[in-house]
Amino acid sequence: MLKYISKRFAMMVITMFIIITATFFLMRAIPGGPFSFDRALPPSVEEALNAKYNLDKPLIEQYFDYLLSILRFDFGPSYVYFGRTVNEMIADGWPDSAKLGIASSILILIFGVPLGIVAALNQNKRPDRAIMVISTIGVVIPSFVLATFLLYFFSVKLEILPTFGVDSWKGYILPTICLAVGPICGITRLSRSSMLDTLSQDYMRTAESKGLSRSRIIVVHGLRNSLIPVVTSLGMTFAALLTGTFVIEKIFAVPGLGRYFVSSITNRDYTAVMALTILSSAIMVVAVFIIDIIYMLLDPRIKLYDK
Amino acid sequence: MSEKHDEKNHEPFIKDWTYVQKEELNAESTTGKTISYWQDVRRRLRKNKLAGGSIVVIILILLASTVGQTLTGKSYDAQQLSLRNMPPVIEIQTAEDGTNFYIHQDLKVFLTDQHGFITDEIPPVSASLADKLFTYEYKGKTYNLSFSGEGIKFEDENRQPLPEKRKIWNKNYLLGTDSIGRDLLTRLLYGGRVSLLVAFLVTICTLVIGVMYGGISGYYGANLDIVMMRLVEILMAIPSTIYIILLMVYFGQGIYNILIAMALTSWLGMAQLVRGQVLSLKEQEFILAAKTVGVSPLKIILTHLLPNCIGPIVVSATLSIPGAIATEAFMSFIGLGVKPPMPSWGILSNEGIGAIRSSPYQILLPSIAISLTMFAFNFLGDSLRDAMDPRQRK
Amino acid sequence: MTVDKLLEVNNLRTSFFTFSGEVQAVRDVSFSLNRGEIIGVVGESGSGKSVTFLSVTRLLSESGKIVGGNILFEGEDVTQMPTLKLRKLRNNQIGMVFQEPMTSLNPTLRVGTQIIERIKAFNKRISNREASKRAEQLLEMVRIPEARKHLNSYPYEMSGGMRQRVMFAMAIACNPKLLIADEPTTALDVTIQKQILKLIGSLRDEINTSIILITHDLGVVAETCERVVVMYGGMIMEEGLVDEIFYETAHQYTVGLKKSIPDVNKVGGTRLFSISGSPPSLIDPPKGCPFTARCDKAMRVCVNHCPPYFQLSPTHRSMCWLLDPEMPSNLAVESVQ
Ligand SMILES: Nc1ncnc2c1ncn2[C@@H]1O[C@H](COP(=O)(O)OP(=O)(O)OP(=O)(O)O)[C@@H](O)[C@H]1O
Ligand SMILES: [Mg+2]
């Protein structure tokens, strides 16, 4: 078990290292330094700026400096908003993103798995058909397309919800729904097929042959086994939602991390882009690590596979 | 020997005790002819209405986006600033002398013919922002345009509304214009061309890279396989949107760049799929036979292995098209995709979202186009998968 | 003759309703089982053995339906039983061991848990300690070494033979009156097979249940059972005491099965005989005797008319036109050769 965990941990560290390295060199390789704006700066100013941000040092040295500072969770100064650090800006944006992310994660948890189970237990009957049609639509439609339809309907036609901003709680409703619909539908479909798969297993018949109650059969024997494949998807979704989302935050003018990410791309705020890339990847990679551990708890066979 | 007949055997019949030949029996017992797997797939696909509908929709979309744009007679980047934000459906008001006016929400008055074709814009003769009243003169008559709290009103000299109002299709621009007066229909069609082109090319790249990579990894196995698949695993750990964004920041906007960035990130799943298929096939006898006879590995992969795992590959490729459409739209939407003024559905959505209140059609049209295309490809992919699923074969 | 009947199946018909049509897996099957008796059910793959006995506890998959007949367990009709009663029946009257030891145990639950949950399902008063003690005892009964330790094992940590033993332990956990073992040895290798068969024999002596042993293999039946039911194409072809089936074989199908028993005396002997041809389609079953198409002695009457059961002795019956006394004797002589 310890071996399994440490192996996963090593994998996580290696992945992070690769991501950081790749990000760093990709950013440095972009033609023109961070201070080559459309209107060229006087060479002396640019030099001074480069010196200030240590950009005049050899690349390798910069790289190790960067690695060290990341170990201290220090993402350095912003190149665009002078005098502000990337850490401060992340601290500004994250709460809003996290609120949306947590709210939609809760929705996903409440609806995703139960709907899938209900569908599976009523396979090919009316509830199943209805759930399948709706979830197919929900999975296919991109979140920003859904957002435009919902915005048009609720904010423009009915005028019951604000078009943008999160000044009141009402502002959270549409973005939360837009974020949650796709994953809910995805999780519903996944847990349905996983549950169906489990229900057709021989051991379910064994459980039935023991005269257990239907609820025990479904909960103890069915749910646990059918949740195993769903866990990955749930974990990845939560991780992705937690770091904010580009499109939804842009559409609803939520001042979160995602929007900050987009604006730092357009402003060529390289330290910010790097920081946000690394941050999102880190959360994703940690999520994968946690998922692996949950997996191990759910499925005792994992230890065996991993040998 | 006692004999006990079942109830149902009461009916008397003549017992024919002569022997029958095996051949005779077997001729009777073989029922129906066996059909090949692909005939079976085709038959099941044909029975599926959803699949048929999807194919029709896909063909229409493909036709529209390839030849459609040449039929509109307009170019996707020609601007007509005076006719900006023109909706697809306009309300025209007819005066007693038969003159048709179209009052645009930006407080502009246009003349149209009775079919809704906009001929001219007339400027106000006097404008008073304080009274919120513009005055117009046309063919010796005076008209007033007021825009107080109750909305925009267009009235004749006696402050009476014009006798006739009707909604009519915009004949100049069938789907209206965008915020700088470009024809939305043309842009939508051209945008479709761009979006679909990107999606198809990315899918082809996915296929080529994924099949080669997965094929080699699965075929040679052993250490090469371990190394190749570890690499895929690590790359998969990076969230693909972030990976594409990074590449796009590096490459800069542009259709070729987005193509390359997406192609570089999308082949991982395909590689895993192909490897799995190849692994499960390569131990089978016909492959082993080919190997012992000394057929070259490339030939074995191409002529023996791939044809036998083509099913899942086709399904996965079909399903990756809508994925690519969504990714391109997403990237263009956040400004890291195709470079304007070239339109794509994502660019159009990006341009339209700001005007969702005043000109909702600008965002709704590309949204509908994206949804429709994605539904069609998804349903087709799902139907294909269902049709090929051997578990359903009975 | 008032032997106490434990199980009586009358004219059972079970079908699966699939996309391609109604699969008539069991067609008019009747038999009975006495208390304490051990019978064997033999037949090729697809002959409807599993479906018949899944019907007895109504464990058929969603698409399977009992479309006719009744099943009396101690005089009560299982087909009409309400859910709770059925659950009790499954829990402590009938134990089942399935054909696939590798997949019949839940991979994510400990072996002990899976046994204990049966013990506790209708016995709320039993404490956890007692239940696990009982489980340990059961594992000992099925000859699992280090029973206590194995209570905490997961199925994947055990071999196929061990898992099948666990299945037996689970099946007898509530002292069932009937134990149905569906090909318990098919998936196992030969030495393990022997051990499991020995186990079945000893279980019968220890807990005194009736046993139904389903198998492909007449040889296994000869060693273990008192009575044999031969099934083919969803019907019972022949039924009788072991000696009757072996020495007074009355059905051509049984003859074929008998030939396919490997002869232990002939070491490295001839190739194993197998009946040529394949079982009939059950979607569109033949009108006559299901075995006609593969029978060496098929007559025209066999093609169109299903033979009745000819009672050869109080315990021996068979459905084959060759047994019909109306059959011209010159043919009968020919057929004996
Ligand atoms: N769930 C099902 N759906 C459709 N047909 C089924 C189903 N289960 C069984 N059958 C059919 O019923 C027939 C009898 O199957 P059954 O499992 O009883 O055979 P068996 O005698 O137990 O064979 P084996 O020795 O392989 O276990 C087979 O032809 C099979 O195809
Ligand atoms: Mg069976």
Side-chain angles (χ1 to χ4, degrees), chain C residues 105-157:
Chain C
L105 289 168
N106 188 330
T108 57
L109 289 183
R110 291 176 200 280
V111 163
T113 317
Q114 299 190 49
I115 299 176
I116 291 170
E117 69 177 351
R118 180 179 210 148
I119 299 173
K120 296 188 76 172
F122 284 98
N123 190 352
K124 302 285 180 230
R125 264 174 303 165
I126 192 167
S127 71
N128 284 337
R129 169 101 58 93
E130 280 172 89
S132 70
K133 197 140 181 218
R134 166 87 179 127
E136 191 186 328
Q137 217 176 34
L138 286 163
L139 289 188
E140 274 162 10
M141 266 171 87
V142 296
R143 320 273 189 281
I144 287 185
E146 296 178 274
R148 180 182 292 266
K149 199 189 105 202
H150 275 111
L151 278 183
N152 287 322
S153 298
Y154 286 100
Y156 73 87
E157 295 165 331

Side-chain angles (χ1 to χ4, degrees), chain C residues 57-76:
Chain C
T57 42
R58 296 199 8 219
L59 283 171
L60 298 162
S61 59
E62 194 91 335
S63 60
K65 297 262 159 12
I66 297 176
V67 288
N70 57 28
I71 299 160
L72 304 177
F73 188 84
E74 296 196 304
E76 275 192 80

Side-chain angles (χ1 to χ4, degrees), chain B residues 107-273:
Chain B
L107 303 179
K108 286 188 280 190
V109 176
F110 295 97
L111 293 172
T112 77
D113 65 9
Q114 73 266 36
H115 307 297
F117 195 87
I118 296 169
T119 49
D120 211 355
E121 180 181 354
I122 48 174
V125 284
S126 73
S128 154
L129 282 174
D131 299 341
K132 301 196 166 159
L133 188 76
F134 290 179
T135 318
Y136 296 84
E137 258 174 35
Y138 186 69
K139 285 200 182 160
K141 291 219 172 85
T142 312
Y143 300 91
N144 297 306
L145 180 74
S146 68
F147 45 100
S148 54
E150 303 131 58
I152 303 171
K153 270 197 220 143
F154 191 64
E155 293 154 334
D156 65 11
E157 54 221 331
N158 306 323
R159 306 299 303 259
Q160 290 303 311
L162 302 191
E164 203 192 323
K165 277 186 184 178
R166 62 199 164 102
K167 294 211 157 161
I168 197 164
W169 206 267
N170 182 342
K171 294 298 177 333
N172 304 54
Y173 299 101
L174 285 177
L175 293 182
T177 58
D178 68 3
S179 60
I180 49 175
R182 293 176 293 197
D183 180 35
L184 257 186
L185 176 61
T186 311
R187 285 180 70 72
L188 206 58
L189 293 171
Y190 197 88
R193 180 190 293 190
V194 172
S195 289
L196 288 172
L197 189 72
V198 170
F200 276 110
L201 289 180
V202 165
T203 302
I204 290 172
C205 292
T206 304
L207 269 176
V208 173
I209 305 176
V211 166
M212 299 242 284
Y213 194 97
I216 291 173
S217 180
Y219 184 82
Y220 288 103
N223 285 333
L224 183 68
D225 181 44
I226 294 174
V227 171
M228 287 175 85
M229 282 300 130
R230 256 303 126 76
L231 183 64
V232 168
E233 263 173 48
I234 289 177
L235 289 179
M236 277 195 140
I238 310 173
S240 70
T241 30
I242 289 184
Y243 189 9
I244 300 180
I245 287 176
L246 269 186
L247 287 172
M248 285 308 286
V249 172
Y250 176 65
F251 291 145
Q253 274 182 322
I255 182 167
Y256 296 110
N257 296 345
I258 184 77
L259 237 167
I260 295 168
M262 283 171 66
L264 281 178
T265 53
S266 61
W267 55 274
L268 301 169
M270 183 65 84
Q272 284 188 327
L273 177 99

Side-chain angles (χ1 to χ4, degrees), chain C residues 49-51 99 182-183 214:
Chain C
K49 308 181 297 290
S50 299
V51 176
Q99 142 176 28
D182 187 353
E183 306 194 26
I214 303 173

Side-chain angles (χ1 to χ4, degrees), chain B residues 2 4 15-16 18 20 24, chain C residues 296 298 300-301 309 311 324-325:
Chain B
S2 71
K4 200 181 91 192
K15 296 173 183 170
D16 183 349
T18 50
V20 278
E24 197 182 328
Chain C
D296 289 332
R300 292 220 177 269
V301 63
Y309 285 112
Q311 203 76 39
D324 193 333

